[in-house]
Amino acid sequence: MPVDWDWWTVDFGDAHAGAVGVLVGGSEPGPVYFDVGSGPDVPSTTHWSAYDGRYRRPRAEALRAVCACGWRGPAHYPLPWATIGDQPLYEADVDLTGPLADWTAHLSVVRDAAVPLPEPLTALLARTAEQLTATAADSPLAALRAAGMLERIATLVGREAAGALRDDNTSAHTLATALGTTRSKAQIMLLTAQDGY
């Protein structure tokens, strides 16, 4: 089911993107479809604010944190429908601090299990990000050129590192945990290194 992700970090990218999930009848409902008339494409969403019971949509009973890795927050946050009334959820002042805090705590566990970066490399990456951001504001073309160069460097170094790990018989599970990514992405890294793509 496609999910409209609310939160994302540079550390883990799409592997641990987070969102506010909804519960209807104790389980996660399917996507909400929008009636836009006839045609082959029917737009849909899984964004929490669409589950407001209007226009025959499901009405969310509670919210919780969800992560792209499959993790689901154990805490459920009931929606105060007596206060919300009939207004759309996107207009209501719904408190999302609970789900966000739960997802952040989940990321802390993922971060603690991941291999730490050497401090000089962490500092260099932070400075590079700052410089690229400043360059994008002053000279977007130069920033795009630099981003392309970094992407090619990262691809080359990534293949070499994945090849070394493959040669050491590192499992996809171990690699996924160390990188804070999914097992399928780790398998692709190892296969890419093996096949020499």
Side-chain angles (χ1 to χ4, degrees):
M1 168 174 61
V3 175
D4 296 319
W5 301 108
D6 297 310
W7 310 305
W8 184 87
T9 67
V10 172
D11 282 354
F12 303 114
D14 294 339
H16 288 284
V20 176
V22 301
L23 293 168
V24 175
S27 63
E28 294 181 18
V32 169
Y33 294 93
F34 299 100
D35 184 6
V36 292
S38 61
D41 297 320
V42 180
S44 66
T45 186
T46 57
H47 195 266
W48 66 272
S49 63
Y51 297 87
D52 56 12
R54 302 169 77 228
Y55 310 112
R56 296 185 309 215
R57 298 181 201 151
R59 184 172 171 174
E61 296 164 4
L63 305 177
R64 71 172 171 186
V66 299
C67 184
C69 72
W71 173 88
R72 296 300 187 251
H76 298 176
Y77 301 92
L79 283 165
W81 284 108
T83 305
I84 294 169
D86 292 332
Q87 66 180 317
L89 278 178
Y90 65 85
E91 291 180 359
D93 188 21
V94 176
D95 182 6
L96 302 177
T97 56
L100 177 58
D102 293 345
W103 177 74
T104 302
H106 164 65
L107 282 191
S108 294
V109 172
V110 172
R111 191 173 285 113
D112 289 347
V115 65
L117 294 179
E119 185 54 41
L121 182 56
T122 300
L124 176 62
L125 289 171
R127 286 194 312 273
T128 301
E130 290 172 8
Q131 186 62 51
L132 278 173
T133 301
T135 302
D138 297 337
S139 179
L141 285 174
L144 280 176
R145 182 170 180 221
M149 291 171 68
L150 284 174
E151 186 177 326
R152 290 185 290 279
I153 291 168
T155 299
L156 178 63
V157 172
R159 284 186 190 142
E160 291 175 7
L165 291 167
R166 182 208 63 236
D167 293 345
D168 288 342
N169 294 317
T170 303
S171 71
H173 174 75
T174 300
L175 183 59
T177 301
L179 299 181
T181 191
T182 63
R183 184 177 170 169
S184 62
K185 287 184 181 181
Q187 286 175 323
I188 290 170
M189 287 179 206
L190 292 172
L191 288 173
T192 299
Q194 183 175 2
D195 295 338
Y197 292 123

